[in-house]
Amino acid sequence: MNVLKTFALGAVVIIATATASFADKLPLNAISQYLNGMTTAQGEFTQINGDGTISTGTIYIKRPGRVRFEYNPPDGGLVVAGSNTVVIYDRKSNQPPETYPLARTPLSIILARNVDLTRAKMVTGHSFDGTATTVTAQDPENPQYGNIQMKFTGPEPELRQWIINDGNGGQTTVVLGDLRKGGNLANSLFDVGSPGQRSR
């Protein structure tokens, strides 16, 4: 499944409609604190793929190092990151799951145990368009893995969008509903050895 394969290579974008405005760009240390404080979160998303197709689903985040994308039918796929690994389950395929190191995807930057956007050579762009602050970040040690471009609104940072550009030039867009932060998410949701479905 191209959409899931694209994500695993690090091509994911998250976009949400932002209605709040802020008079100045958010500082990097405030954004780092916000991301570090996001221990768990979940919400709906709509993913716009590089080929223009659209997928929808639910995202679950449990920092550090864990995220789960459940894709609704007709895709019906699953992407799970945990144990330093990203696994792509394509339920339409008879092929075994695809596996990639989490460290090779730019998403690992915001799933790190300690996000520090002030680290040297991590942030390559930091701007404000009158509504949102945009931060482009990469792994300083491995810029060839691509970058993540995040948009935040203020005055308290709120993640509205991220664009992950992989090292092969791939790019995907995902539109988020409101992220519900906090609450308990079972570790089993992020078990990369089992594609279990969350009960709804």
Side-chain angles (χ1 to χ4, degrees), residues 78-122:
L78 179 67
V79 174
V80 180
S83 303
N84 301 313
T85 303
V86 177
V87 180
I88 303 92
Y89 297 95
D90 183 351
R91 292 191 170 99
K92 292 182 176 180
S93 172
N94 293 323
Q95 299 300 313
E98 297 184 52
T99 303
Y100 302 86
L102 176 60
R104 292 190 179 182
T105 72
L107 191 61
S108 64
I109 293 171
I110 63 173
L111 293 178
R113 182 173 299 277
N114 180 31
V115 178
D116 181 8
L117 295 175
T118 65
R119 181 180 171 189
K121 297 183 180 179
M122 173 170 277

Side-chain angles (χ1 to χ4, degrees), residues 3-103:
V3 54
L4 302 181
K5 202 174 293 183
T6 299
F7 171 82
L9 294 173
V12 172
V13 183
I14 292 187
I15 295 184
T17 302
T19 57
S21 61
F22 188 52
D24 202 357
K25 71 179 178 181
L26 296 163
L28 294 177
N29 59 354
I31 294 173
S32 296
Q33 290 173 9
Y34 162 78
L35 292 172
N36 286 323
M38 186 190 294
T39 54
T40 61
Q42 60 183 290
E44 305 305 308
F45 72 89
T46 299
Q47 180 168 309
I48 305 168
N49 309 304
D51 61 1
T53 58
I54 294 176
S55 306
T56 62
T58 305
I59 182 174
Y60 303 91
I61 299 170
K62 189 170 187 178
R63 299 184 60 263
R66 288 166 287 191
V67 68
R68 177 185 179 102
F69 286 83
E70 290 183 3
Y71 290 84
N72 295 328
D75 294 310
L78 179 67
V79 174
V80 180
S83 303
N84 301 313
T85 303
V86 177
V87 180
I88 303 92
Y89 297 95
D90 183 351
R91 292 191 170 99
K92 292 182 176 180
S93 172
N94 293 323
Q95 299 300 313
E98 297 184 52
T99 303
Y100 302 86
L102 176 60

Side-chain angles (χ1 to χ4, degrees), residues 87-186:
V87 180
I88 303 92
Y89 297 95
D90 183 351
R91 292 191 170 99
K92 292 182 176 180
S93 172
N94 293 323
Q95 299 300 313
E98 297 184 52
T99 303
Y100 302 86
L102 176 60
R104 292 190 179 182
T105 72
L107 191 61
S108 64
I109 293 171
I110 63 173
L111 293 178
R113 182 173 299 277
N114 180 31
V115 178
D116 181 8
L117 295 175
T118 65
R119 181 180 171 189
K121 297 183 180 179
M122 173 170 277
V123 171
T124 60
H126 184 202
S127 62
F128 179 69
D129 64 5
T131 299
T133 297
T134 301
V135 176
T136 302
Q138 64 182 12
D139 179 349
E141 306 300 325
N142 297 285
Q144 71 274 18
Y145 294 159
N147 62 62
I148 181 169
Q149 185 181 75
M150 302 166 283
K151 286 191 177 182
F152 302 85
T153 55
E156 296 299 324
E158 190 71 30
L159 180 62
R160 301 296 183 180
Q161 167 180 311
W162 78 50
I163 300 172
I164 294 182
N165 301 287
D166 69 20
N168 297 319
Q171 185 182 93
T172 307
T173 301
V174 178
V175 180
L176 282 181
D178 290 335
L179 279 178
R180 302 182 296 279
K181 302 178 202 57
N184 182 46
L185 293 178

